[in-house]
Amino acid sequence: MSFTTKGKEVELFEDQQKTQDEQDEDGLQACKNFRDGSAFFSPPIQRQNWEDTQILPHVNWGDLFFDLFYVAAAFNLATLIKSDPSFKGLCYFFALFGPVFTIFWQTKMMYDARYALPNDTIHGIITVLQLCALATSILHIRPLEYMSRGADHPEMFLYCLGIVLGNLINMLLHFEIKFIWVVGQVAATRAALRELKFEAYSCILNCGALIYAAVLFYGKGGTSQQEYHGPVIILAIALFTKPLILILIFRFYYSPNRNFKTSTVPMNIEFSIHRYGEWTMLMLGESILSLLIVNDVSSNYEQEYYFTFYLGIVSVTLLQLLYFKSQPHHPDHHALRRSRYSGIVFVTFIQFYSAALILVGVSYKMLLTEYTTKYADASYGDNRNLADSTGVFIFLDILSLNHSGFEKATKRCHCTDSGSFRFKGIALVLVMVRFLGRTYFPEGEVHKKGEV
């Protein structure tokens, strides 16, 4: 255990022969004394060193409170896709979901898996500002006509403003570790510098989207009633290029002869598994809300309504069981520990899986709405967005295969005895992809725009 301040490492222990228990006890006492002397502003504390045994931290009620904001995020995103269930609406859905997940929830989870923030005044203010920035973005996720017509509505500008503020707060937390102080190893300052550069890349692109949206609305740079997709395209570029930037960082920053432990801070993988489980339950909650909160049922369609309703309850329950059955519960079996690249694949596809869970709830909502009194006589096409659930299975399968690795994954396609391909399984995958294509590229009208 060491104390790092202003880029310099000061050893807290002169006797390097102490046992791990003695070092932990002395380190905790040193941190306690330090925090007692500076209650207004205290340093973050590295959770564990590379050689330490990882212990799951106690439940942080602040994390659960932070998660509550995403109930509203899922609801607003569902409203967006229901307002225009087309490919364009789907692109906006993913482009707006990604930043509020990666910049706020996932980045916070990654930080908390490495460091523990003290209970001081300054960090309390930073947490409140972070919640306000998140709330700003979530509040302004509106139906597609508001988000795409930037010259008439300020929603896209205010959404981007919250995202940029989230970027700046993330940079501030890593700036503190790099240039001010942290209770931990000197590797924390090196990792913080790398995170600062990575966050700066995302911030620059998001600032581009913010400026674009500001010019459209406040600078009168657009035409009324005209759709402008520039801001959301920039947000999508920032979102989908982040995994590539991570790969480049790992590819060129870490040489084979360099000990990566000298410039990285270990994650508490068990904490991450726990938080991702809570997040998945939160996204499944949107499906439950979509099933339970529906207007009055038409007397002509009661049978169809209740059949769809209970089928939805059963399917969402099975989705919950399937996720926790397929994901590893031990840190050593998780993709985040298997390798850097498997970790990148996991954190990338977990957001697609989460978005697909919201789409399942939207699908059931749209089906149930057809059986309400208001829409019972409306004419709809033959296609149904229920095929969105296919995306859930595909993304979940990718996550599951990522834990085991490519070599073990390919063995699933061969029979154990004969070694031949399992063509039935491959055919099933092709059918799933076909249904997924019918969902995201519908041939007929599902709902008329603005009806749901």
Side-chain angles (χ1 to χ4, degrees):
M1 174 90 58
S2 57
F3 170 60
T4 305
T5 177
K6 297 181 180 179
K8 298 179 180 179
E9 185 180 28
V10 181
E11 293 295 333
L12 291 178
F13 307 104
E14 297 178 356
D15 183 7
Q16 299 298 324
Q17 303 302 319
K18 289 184 178 181
T19 66
Q20 185 64 50
D21 290 340
E22 291 174 330
Q23 289 187 8
D24 289 342
E25 184 178 353
D26 290 349
L28 290 173
Q29 184 61 41
C31 294
K32 181 178 184 300
N33 294 337
F34 185 79
R35 293 169 64 179
D36 288 344
S38 180
F40 181 74
F41 187 29
S42 302
I45 302 171
Q46 184 176 325
R47 288 195 182 275
Q48 62 274 313
N49 299 330
W50 282 105
E51 64 275 6
D52 293 346
T53 300
Q54 295 192 359
I55 301 174
L56 180 64
H58 294 293
V59 174
N60 186 342
W61 300 112
D63 290 339
L64 300 181
F65 179 76
F66 186 83
D67 292 348
L68 292 178
F69 285 75
Y70 285 90
V71 177
F75 180 85
N76 287 349
L77 286 164
T79 302
L80 183 149
I81 192 65
K82 285 187 292 184
S83 69
D84 189 355
S86 62
F87 179 70
K88 180 173 64 176
L90 191 69
C91 290
Y92 268 79
F93 174 84
F94 277 107
L96 297 179
F97 170 80
V100 296
F101 171 68
T102 57
I103 293 175
F104 289 98
W105 193 93
Q106 188 159 260
T107 301
K108 183 179 184 302
M109 190 279 298
M110 293 288 184
Y111 183 94
D112 292 341
R114 294 180 171 92
Y115 309 99
L117 283 178
N119 250 340
D120 60 8
T121 304
I122 294 298
H123 288 103
I125 294 174
I126 292 175
T127 300
V128 172
L129 292 176
Q130 187 177 44
L131 291 173
C132 289
L134 174 60
T136 300
S137 292
I138 292 174
L139 176 63
H140 295 96
I141 298 176
R142 300 289 302 282
L144 187 60
E145 63 174 305
Y146 293 91
M147 305 305 295
S148 60
R149 297 175 182 177
D152 300 315
H153 307 286
E155 273 72 19
M156 181 58 77
F157 167 76
L158 294 171
Y159 172 87
C160 294
L161 177 62
I163 296 300
V164 171
L165 290 175
N167 278 130
L168 294 176
I169 291 172
N170 293 336
M171 294 175 67
L172 179 62
L173 291 173
H174 290 294
F175 180 90
E176 175 190 15
I177 294 175
K178 172 59 182 176
F179 297 104
I180 303 179
W181 53 9
V182 61
V183 176
Q185 295 173 312
V186 71
T189 60
R190 298 167 181 164
L193 179 61
R194 185 175 63 253
E195 292 294 336
L196 271 172
K197 295 177 180 179
F198 179 68
E199 200 69 34
Y201 164 79
S202 174
C203 187
I204 290 172
L205 287 179
N206 291 331
C207 282
L210 176 66
I211 295 172
Y212 195 138
V215 170
L216 287 176
F217 185 75
Y218 295 102
K220 305 302 180 183
T223 305
S224 180
Q225 301 301 315
Q226 180 70 31
E227 291 188 344
Y228 294 94
H229 307 306
V232 80
I233 291 176
I234 298 175
L235 290 173
I237 291 174
L239 177 67
F240 291 109
T241 55
K242 286 175 74 173
L244 300 179
I245 297 299
L246 274 177
I247 292 175
L248 291 176
I249 289 175
F250 288 137
R251 179 67 178 85
F252 296 104
Y253 189 84
Y254 297 104
S255 62
N257 299 326
R258 183 176 181 179
N259 184 4
F260 70 93
K261 294 183 180 181
T262 61
S263 58
T264 57
V265 176
M267 286 181 59
N268 191 309
I269 305 299
E270 192 170 1
F271 171 82
S272 303
I273 295 174
H274 183 75
R275 289 292 289 143
Y276 276 120
E278 293 175 342
W279 169 260
T280 302
M281 296 297 285
L282 193 68
M283 294 299 100
L284 287 169
E286 167 58 23
S287 298
I288 298 298
L289 288 176
S290 298
L291 286 165
L292 296 180
I293 304 177
V294 182
N295 295 327
D296 58 314
V297 184
S298 171
S299 58
N300 297 326
Y301 292 97
E302 286 188 356
Q303 182 177 353
E304 293 88 345
Y305 175 88
Y306 284 108
F307 177 79
T308 305
F309 171 78
Y310 287 111
L311 182 63
I313 294 294
V314 171
S315 62
V316 173
T317 304
L318 292 177
L319 282 175
Q320 179 265 143
L321 293 173
L322 183 61
Y323 174 82
F324 289 101
K325 182 70 174 178
S326 61
Q327 298 301 298
H329 299 283
H330 194 279
D332 291 339
H333 304 152
H334 202 276
L336 291 172
R337 175 161 292 178
R338 192 170 66 84
S339 71
R340 301 190 194 100
Y341 299 108
S342 63
I344 294 175
V345 172
F346 179 84
V347 299
T348 300
F349 279 93
I350 191 67
Q351 62 182 303
F352 292 109
Y353 174 72
S354 305
L357 288 177
I358 298 177
L359 290 177
V360 169
V362 174
S363 302
Y364 275 117
K365 185 78 167 184
M366 297 177 74
L367 284 172
L368 292 176
T369 302
E370 296 184 11
Y371 305 131
T372 60
T373 303
K374 185 176 180 180
Y375 298 102
D377 298 328
S379 176
Y380 301 102
D382 294 332
N383 287 313
R384 294 293 183 264
N385 268 12
L386 186 59
D388 282 332
S389 59
T390 310
V392 172
F393 295 113
I394 291 178
F395 296 135
L396 180 59
D397 205 37
I398 292 175
L399 294 177
S400 301
L401 297 180
N402 189 42
H403 295 305
S404 58
F406 180 78
E407 183 177 351
K408 292 182 179 179
T410 54
K411 294 180 180 179
R412 301 193 320 165
C413 300
H414 294 81
C415 294
T416 305
D417 299 329
S418 62
S420 60
F421 277 101
R422 297 174 178 173
F423 290 102
K424 291 182 179 179
I426 297 175
L428 179 60
V429 171
L430 294 177
V431 172
M432 291 170 62
V433 173
R434 170 56 179 162
F435 277 113
L436 188 66
R438 284 174 61 87
T439 300
Y440 294 158
F441 303 94
E443 298 171 357
E445 188 177 36
V446 182
H447 281 273
K448 296 179 181 178
K449 294 181 181 180
E451 277 194 334
V452 180

